[in-house]
PDB file of all heavy atoms in Angstrom:
ATOM      1  N   ILE A  40    -166.249  21.659 -34.845  1.00  0.00           N
ATOM      2  CA  ILE A  40    -164.975  22.040 -35.232  1.00  0.00           C
ATOM      3  C   ILE A  40    -165.022  23.149 -36.290  1.00  0.00           C
ATOM      4  O   ILE A  40    -165.546  22.995 -37.313  1.00  0.00           O
ATOM      5  CB  ILE A  40    -164.172  20.814 -35.836  1.00  0.00           C
ATOM      6  CG1 ILE A  40    -164.056  19.613 -34.910  1.00  0.00           C
ATOM      7  CG2 ILE A  40    -162.803  21.188 -36.337  1.00  0.00           C
ATOM      8  CD1 ILE A  40    -163.178  19.748 -33.787  1.00  0.00           C
ATOM      9  N   PRO A  41    -164.321  24.305 -36.023  1.00  0.00           N
ATOM     10  CA  PRO A  41    -163.759  24.750 -34.807  1.00  0.00           C
ATOM     11  C   PRO A  41    -164.754  25.169 -33.763  1.00  0.00           C
ATOM     12  O   PRO A  41    -165.825  25.629 -34.043  1.00  0.00           O
ATOM     13  CB  PRO A  41    -162.965  25.928 -35.288  1.00  0.00           C
ATOM     14  CG  PRO A  41    -163.785  26.510 -36.420  1.00  0.00           C
ATOM     15  CD  PRO A  41    -164.441  25.326 -37.104  1.00  0.00           C
ATOM     16  N   SER A  45    -161.524  28.365 -30.407  1.00  0.00           N
ATOM     17  CA  SER A  45    -160.668  28.381 -31.595  1.00  0.00           C
ATOM     18  C   SER A  45    -161.144  29.511 -32.557  1.00  0.00           C
ATOM     19  O   SER A  45    -160.232  30.174 -33.105  1.00  0.00           O
ATOM     20  CB  SER A  45    -160.721  27.051 -32.425  1.00  0.00           C
ATOM     21  OG  SER A  45    -159.785  26.079 -31.770  1.00  0.00           O
ATOM     22  N   LEU A  49    -158.963  32.437 -34.141  1.00  0.00           N
ATOM     23  CA  LEU A  49    -158.859  32.545 -35.521  1.00  0.00           C
ATOM     24  C   LEU A  49    -159.099  33.974 -35.958  1.00  0.00           C
ATOM     25  O   LEU A  49    -158.405  34.507 -36.822  1.00  0.00           O
ATOM     26  CB  LEU A  49    -159.956  31.697 -36.293  1.00  0.00           C
ATOM     27  CG  LEU A  49    -159.556  30.168 -36.375  1.00  0.00           C
ATOM     28  CD1 LEU A  49    -160.776  29.305 -36.742  1.00  0.00           C
ATOM     29  CD2 LEU A  49    -158.406  29.939 -37.397  1.00  0.00           C
ATOM     30  N   ARG A  52    -156.064  35.874 -35.011  1.00  0.00           N
ATOM     31  CA  ARG A  52    -154.975  35.484 -36.009  1.00  0.00           C
ATOM     32  C   ARG A  52    -155.112  36.265 -37.231  1.00  0.00           C
ATOM     33  O   ARG A  52    -154.179  36.809 -37.764  1.00  0.00           O
ATOM     34  CB  ARG A  52    -155.184  33.980 -36.284  1.00  0.00           C
ATOM     35  CG  ARG A  52    -154.147  33.429 -37.272  1.00  0.00           C
ATOM     36  CD  ARG A  52    -154.626  32.150 -37.950  1.00  0.00           C
ATOM     37  NE  ARG A  52    -154.021  32.204 -39.310  1.00  0.00           N
ATOM     38  CZ  ARG A  52    -153.082  31.339 -39.721  1.00  0.00           C
ATOM     39  NH1 ARG A  52    -152.692  30.429 -38.973  1.00  0.00           N
ATOM     40  NH2 ARG A  52    -152.582  31.507 -40.860  1.00  0.00           N
ATOM     41  N   SER A  61    -150.899  30.002 -44.265  1.00  0.00           N
ATOM     42  CA  SER A  61    -152.182  29.322 -44.200  1.00  0.00           C
ATOM     43  C   SER A  61    -152.201  28.250 -43.177  1.00  0.00           C
ATOM     44  O   SER A  61    -151.148  27.957 -42.580  1.00  0.00           O
ATOM     45  CB  SER A  61    -152.584  28.797 -45.602  1.00  0.00           C
ATOM     46  OG  SER A  61    -151.685  27.832 -45.905  1.00  0.00           O
ATOM     47  N   HIS A  62    -153.350  27.661 -42.855  1.00  0.00           N
ATOM     48  CA  HIS A  62    -153.312  26.433 -41.971  1.00  0.00           C
ATOM     49  C   HIS A  62    -154.377  25.402 -42.524  1.00  0.00           C
ATOM     50  O   HIS A  62    -155.306  25.713 -43.198  1.00  0.00           O
ATOM     51  CB  HIS A  62    -153.679  26.868 -40.533  1.00  0.00           C
ATOM     52  CG  HIS A  62    -155.025  27.508 -40.414  1.00  0.00           C
ATOM     53  ND1 HIS A  62    -155.117  28.959 -40.166  1.00  0.00           N
ATOM     54  CD2 HIS A  62    -156.262  27.167 -40.592  1.00  0.00           C
ATOM     55  CE1 HIS A  62    -156.353  29.233 -40.107  1.00  0.00           C
ATOM     56  NE2 HIS A  62    -157.140  28.259 -40.346  1.00  0.00           N
ATOM     57  N   VAL A  63    -154.009  24.154 -42.210  1.00  0.00           N
ATOM     58  CA  VAL A  63    -154.861  23.112 -42.643  1.00  0.00           C
ATOM     59  C   VAL A  63    -156.088  22.933 -41.833  1.00  0.00           C
ATOM     60  O   VAL A  63    -157.218  22.754 -42.375  1.00  0.00           O
ATOM     61  CB  VAL A  63    -154.076  21.674 -42.544  1.00  0.00           C
ATOM     62  CG1 VAL A  63    -154.964  20.496 -42.892  1.00  0.00           C
ATOM     63  CG2 VAL A  63    -152.809  21.726 -43.460  1.00  0.00           C
ATOM     64  N   LEU A  64    -155.940  23.055 -40.544  1.00  0.00           N
ATOM     65  CA  LEU A  64    -157.061  22.825 -39.577  1.00  0.00           C
ATOM     66  C   LEU A  64    -157.389  24.113 -38.878  1.00  0.00           C
ATOM     67  O   LEU A  64    -156.482  24.788 -38.337  1.00  0.00           O
ATOM     68  CB  LEU A  64    -156.537  21.762 -38.613  1.00  0.00           C
ATOM     69  CG  LEU A  64    -157.521  20.715 -38.162  1.00  0.00           C
ATOM     70  CD1 LEU A  64    -157.703  19.720 -39.359  1.00  0.00           C
ATOM     71  CD2 LEU A  64    -156.892  19.867 -37.016  1.00  0.00           C
ATOM     72  N   PRO A  65    -158.684  24.420 -38.644  1.00  0.00           N
ATOM     73  CA  PRO A  65    -159.050  25.658 -38.026  1.00  0.00           C
ATOM     74  C   PRO A  65    -159.084  25.552 -36.517  1.00  0.00           C
ATOM     75  O   PRO A  65    -159.859  26.270 -35.868  1.00  0.00           O
ATOM     76  CB  PRO A  65    -160.374  25.926 -38.568  1.00  0.00           C
ATOM     77  CG  PRO A  65    -160.990  24.578 -38.853  1.00  0.00           C
ATOM     78  CD  PRO A  65    -159.846  23.667 -39.171  1.00  0.00           C
ATOM     79  N   VAL A  66    -158.365  24.632 -35.860  1.00  0.00           N
ATOM     80  CA  VAL A  66    -158.313  24.603 -34.438  1.00  0.00           C
ATOM     81  C   VAL A  66    -157.022  24.972 -33.830  1.00  0.00           C
ATOM     82  O   VAL A  66    -155.968  24.762 -34.446  1.00  0.00           O
ATOM     83  CB  VAL A  66    -158.719  23.155 -33.950  1.00  0.00           C
ATOM     84  CG1 VAL A  66    -160.027  22.738 -34.425  1.00  0.00           C
ATOM     85  CG2 VAL A  66    -157.621  22.124 -34.348  1.00  0.00           C
ATOM     86  N   PHE A  67    -157.050  25.565 -32.711  1.00  0.00           N
ATOM     87  CA  PHE A  67    -155.765  26.048 -31.989  1.00  0.00           C
ATOM     88  C   PHE A  67    -155.461  24.864 -30.948  1.00  0.00           C
ATOM     89  O   PHE A  67    -156.367  24.393 -30.292  1.00  0.00           O
ATOM     90  CB  PHE A  67    -156.005  27.385 -31.219  1.00  0.00           C
ATOM     91  CG  PHE A  67    -155.751  28.484 -32.286  1.00  0.00           C
ATOM     92  CD1 PHE A  67    -156.668  28.809 -33.185  1.00  0.00           C
ATOM     93  CD2 PHE A  67    -154.523  29.220 -32.187  1.00  0.00           C
ATOM     94  CE1 PHE A  67    -156.446  29.859 -34.090  1.00  0.00           C
ATOM     95  CE2 PHE A  67    -154.344  30.159 -33.117  1.00  0.00           C
ATOM     96  CZ  PHE A  67    -155.266  30.513 -34.067  1.00  0.00           C
ATOM     97  N   VAL A  68    -154.149  24.635 -30.774  1.00  0.00           N
ATOM     98  CA  VAL A  68    -153.776  23.435 -30.019  1.00  0.00           C
ATOM     99  C   VAL A  68    -153.492  23.915 -28.582  1.00  0.00           C
ATOM    100  O   VAL A  68    -152.880  24.885 -28.297  1.00  0.00           O
ATOM    101  CB  VAL A  68    -152.588  22.872 -30.673  1.00  0.00           C
ATOM    102  CG1 VAL A  68    -152.049  21.640 -29.839  1.00  0.00           C
ATOM    103  CG2 VAL A  68    -152.787  22.398 -32.075  1.00  0.00           C
ATOM    104  N   VAL A  76    -154.165  15.170 -30.634  1.00  0.00           N
ATOM    105  CA  VAL A  76    -153.957  16.539 -30.517  1.00  0.00           C
ATOM    106  C   VAL A  76    -155.216  17.134 -29.896  1.00  0.00           C
ATOM    107  O   VAL A  76    -156.300  16.912 -30.364  1.00  0.00           O
ATOM    108  CB  VAL A  76    -153.710  17.321 -31.886  1.00  0.00           C
ATOM    109  CG1 VAL A  76    -153.649  18.782 -31.768  1.00  0.00           C
ATOM    110  CG2 VAL A  76    -152.443  16.791 -32.544  1.00  0.00           C
ATOM    111  N   ASP A  78    -157.433  20.355 -28.625  1.00  0.00           N
ATOM    112  CA  ASP A  78    -157.545  21.871 -28.937  1.00  0.00           C
ATOM    113  C   ASP A  78    -158.050  22.641 -27.698  1.00  0.00           C
ATOM    114  O   ASP A  78    -158.302  22.046 -26.658  1.00  0.00           O
ATOM    115  CB  ASP A  78    -158.441  22.055 -30.198  1.00  0.00           C
ATOM    116  CG  ASP A  78    -159.869  21.889 -29.911  1.00  0.00           C
ATOM    117  OD1 ASP A  78    -160.300  21.711 -28.812  1.00  0.00           O
ATOM    118  OD2 ASP A  78    -160.638  21.844 -31.001  1.00  0.00           O
ATOM    119  N   LEU A  84    -158.285  15.216 -31.106  1.00  0.00           N
ATOM    120  CA  LEU A  84    -158.335  14.796 -32.488  1.00  0.00           C
ATOM    121  C   LEU A  84    -157.247  13.672 -32.685  1.00  0.00           C
ATOM    122  O   LEU A  84    -156.198  13.758 -32.079  1.00  0.00           O
ATOM    123  CB  LEU A  84    -158.045  15.969 -33.378  1.00  0.00           C
ATOM    124  CG  LEU A  84    -159.136  17.056 -33.421  1.00  0.00           C
ATOM    125  CD1 LEU A  84    -158.948  18.065 -32.324  1.00  0.00           C
ATOM    126  CD2 LEU A  84    -159.089  17.768 -34.806  1.00  0.00           C
ATOM    127  N   ILE A  85    -157.600  12.718 -33.549  1.00  0.00           N
ATOM    128  CA  ILE A  85    -156.549  11.718 -33.955  1.00  0.00           C
ATOM    129  C   ILE A  85    -155.622  12.361 -35.003  1.00  0.00           C
ATOM    130  O   ILE A  85    -156.039  13.029 -35.845  1.00  0.00           O
ATOM    131  CB  ILE A  85    -157.270  10.500 -34.653  1.00  0.00           C
ATOM    132  CG1 ILE A  85    -158.325   9.913 -33.667  1.00  0.00           C
ATOM    133  CG2 ILE A  85    -156.269   9.502 -35.019  1.00  0.00           C
ATOM    134  CD1 ILE A  85    -159.149   8.808 -34.348  1.00  0.00           C
ATOM    135  N   ASP A  86    -154.375  12.118 -34.733  1.00  0.00           N
ATOM    136  CA  ASP A  86    -153.354  12.758 -35.519  1.00  0.00           C
ATOM    137  C   ASP A  86    -152.816  11.867 -36.514  1.00  0.00           C
ATOM    138  O   ASP A  86    -151.974  10.917 -36.264  1.00  0.00           O
ATOM    139  CB  ASP A  86    -152.171  13.243 -34.543  1.00  0.00           C
ATOM    140  CG  ASP A  86    -151.144  13.993 -35.265  1.00  0.00           C
ATOM    141  OD1 ASP A  86    -151.318  14.388 -36.425  1.00  0.00           O
ATOM    142  OD2 ASP A  86    -150.112  14.361 -34.600  1.00  0.00           O
ATOM    143  N   ALA A 422    -160.606  15.161 -46.942  1.00  0.00           N
ATOM    144  CA  ALA A 422    -159.784  15.675 -45.827  1.00  0.00           C
ATOM    145  C   ALA A 422    -160.691  16.473 -44.925  1.00  0.00           C
ATOM    146  O   ALA A 422    -160.562  16.376 -43.736  1.00  0.00           O
ATOM    147  CB  ALA A 422    -158.669  16.554 -46.436  1.00  0.00           C
ATOM    148  N   LYS A 423    -161.566  17.304 -45.536  1.00  0.00           N
ATOM    149  CA  LYS A 423    -162.410  18.153 -44.676  1.00  0.00           C
ATOM    150  C   LYS A 423    -163.401  17.387 -43.820  1.00  0.00           C
ATOM    151  O   LYS A 423    -163.631  17.594 -42.671  1.00  0.00           O
ATOM    152  CB  LYS A 423    -163.148  19.173 -45.542  1.00  0.00           C
ATOM    153  CG  LYS A 423    -163.591  20.412 -44.847  1.00  0.00           C
ATOM    154  CD  LYS A 423    -163.842  21.558 -45.709  1.00  0.00           C
ATOM    155  CE  LYS A 423    -164.340  22.747 -44.862  1.00  0.00           C
ATOM    156  NZ  LYS A 423    -165.601  23.291 -45.335  1.00  0.00           N
ATOM    157  N   CYS A 425    -162.856  14.297 -42.769  1.00  0.00           N
ATOM    158  CA  CYS A 425    -162.022  13.786 -41.668  1.00  0.00           C
ATOM    159  C   CYS A 425    -161.872  14.780 -40.586  1.00  0.00           C
ATOM    160  O   CYS A 425    -161.938  14.471 -39.411  1.00  0.00           O
ATOM    161  CB  CYS A 425    -160.712  13.283 -42.184  1.00  0.00           C
ATOM    162  SG  CYS A 425    -160.846  11.847 -43.200  1.00  0.00           S
ATOM    163  N   HIS A 426    -161.537  15.940 -40.938  1.00  0.00           N
ATOM    164  CA  HIS A 426    -161.265  17.083 -39.987  1.00  0.00           C
ATOM    165  C   HIS A 426    -162.489  17.298 -39.050  1.00  0.00           C
ATOM    166  O   HIS A 426    -162.396  17.338 -37.836  1.00  0.00           O
ATOM    167  CB  HIS A 426    -160.906  18.432 -40.600  1.00  0.00           C
ATOM    168  CG  HIS A 426    -159.648  18.291 -41.452  1.00  0.00           C
ATOM    169  ND1 HIS A 426    -159.320  19.234 -42.368  1.00  0.00           N
ATOM    170  CD2 HIS A 426    -158.680  17.360 -41.473  1.00  0.00           C
ATOM    171  CE1 HIS A 426    -158.155  18.959 -42.948  1.00  0.00           C
ATOM    172  NE2 HIS A 426    -157.738  17.796 -42.487  1.00  0.00           N
ATOM    173  N   SER A 427    -163.653  17.364 -39.712  1.00  0.00           N
ATOM    174  CA  SER A 427    -164.826  17.585 -38.875  1.00  0.00           C
ATOM    175  C   SER A 427    -165.237  16.517 -38.014  1.00  0.00           C
ATOM    176  O   SER A 427    -166.000  16.631 -37.111  1.00  0.00           O
ATOM    177  CB  SER A 427    -165.949  18.153 -39.803  1.00  0.00           C
ATOM    178  OG  SER A 427    -166.241  17.190 -40.792  1.00  0.00           O
ATOM    179  N   GLY A 429    -162.896  14.910 -36.331  1.00  0.00           N
ATOM    180  CA  GLY A 429    -161.844  14.816 -35.370  1.00  0.00           C
ATOM    181  C   GLY A 429    -160.666  14.039 -35.724  1.00  0.00           C
ATOM    182  O   GLY A 429    -160.023  13.314 -34.889  1.00  0.00           O
ATOM    183  N   MET A 430    -160.352  14.116 -37.025  1.00  0.00           N
ATOM    184  CA  MET A 430    -159.080  13.414 -37.437  1.00  0.00           C
ATOM    185  C   MET A 430    -158.276  14.366 -38.320  1.00  0.00           C
ATOM    186  O   MET A 430    -158.783  14.944 -39.262  1.00  0.00           O
ATOM    187  CB  MET A 430    -159.373  12.115 -38.211  1.00  0.00           C
ATOM    188  CG  MET A 430    -158.106  11.475 -38.694  1.00  0.00           C
ATOM    189  SD  MET A 430    -158.410   9.903 -39.409  1.00  0.00           S
ATOM    190  CE  MET A 430    -158.117  10.221 -41.123  1.00  0.00           C
ATOM    191  N   ILE A 431    -156.963  14.485 -37.989  1.00  0.00           N
ATOM    192  CA  ILE A 431    -156.087  15.377 -38.752  1.00  0.00           C
ATOM    193  C   ILE A 431    -155.492  14.595 -39.892  1.00  0.00           C
ATOM    194  O   ILE A 431    -154.804  13.578 -39.691  1.00  0.00           O
ATOM    195  CB  ILE A 431    -154.968  15.954 -37.878  1.00  0.00           C
ATOM    196  CG1 ILE A 431    -155.540  16.666 -36.680  1.00  0.00           C
ATOM    197  CG2 ILE A 431    -154.057  16.767 -38.704  1.00  0.00           C
ATOM    198  CD1 ILE A 431    -154.455  17.236 -35.650  1.00  0.00           C
ATOM    199  N   THR A 432    -155.793  15.035 -41.156  1.00  0.00           N
ATOM    200  CA  THR A 432    -155.132  14.343 -42.244  1.00  0.00           C
ATOM    201  C   THR A 432    -154.714  15.436 -43.260  1.00  0.00           C
ATOM    202  O   THR A 432    -155.393  16.510 -43.344  1.00  0.00           O
ATOM    203  CB  THR A 432    -156.042  13.243 -42.888  1.00  0.00           C
ATOM    204  OG1 THR A 432    -155.252  12.544 -43.833  1.00  0.00           O
ATOM    205  CG2 THR A 432    -157.297  13.810 -43.511  1.00  0.00           C
ATOM    206  N   LEU A 433    -153.741  15.229 -43.987  1.00  0.00           N
ATOM    207  CA  LEU A 433    -153.078  16.218 -44.873  1.00  0.00           C
ATOM    208  C   LEU A 433    -153.284  15.803 -46.365  1.00  0.00           C
ATOM    209  O   LEU A 433    -153.294  14.579 -46.597  1.00  0.00           O
ATOM    210  CB  LEU A 433    -151.559  16.390 -44.596  1.00  0.00           C
ATOM    211  CG  LEU A 433    -151.250  16.651 -43.104  1.00  0.00           C
ATOM    212  CD1 LEU A 433    -149.797  16.639 -42.931  1.00  0.00           C
ATOM    213  CD2 LEU A 433    -151.830  17.943 -42.515  1.00  0.00           C
TER     214      LEU A 433
END
Side-chain angles (χ1 to χ4, degrees):
I40 301 283
S45 277
L49 282 164
R52 177 202 151 112
S61 62
H62 56 251
V63 174
L64 220 70
V66 299
F67 277 76
V68 178
V76 172
D78 75 10
L84 294 87
I85 302 175
D86 186 8
K423 205 158 177 233
C425 292
H426 299 165
S427 54
M430 178 172 109
I431 302 177
T432 187
L433 310 173

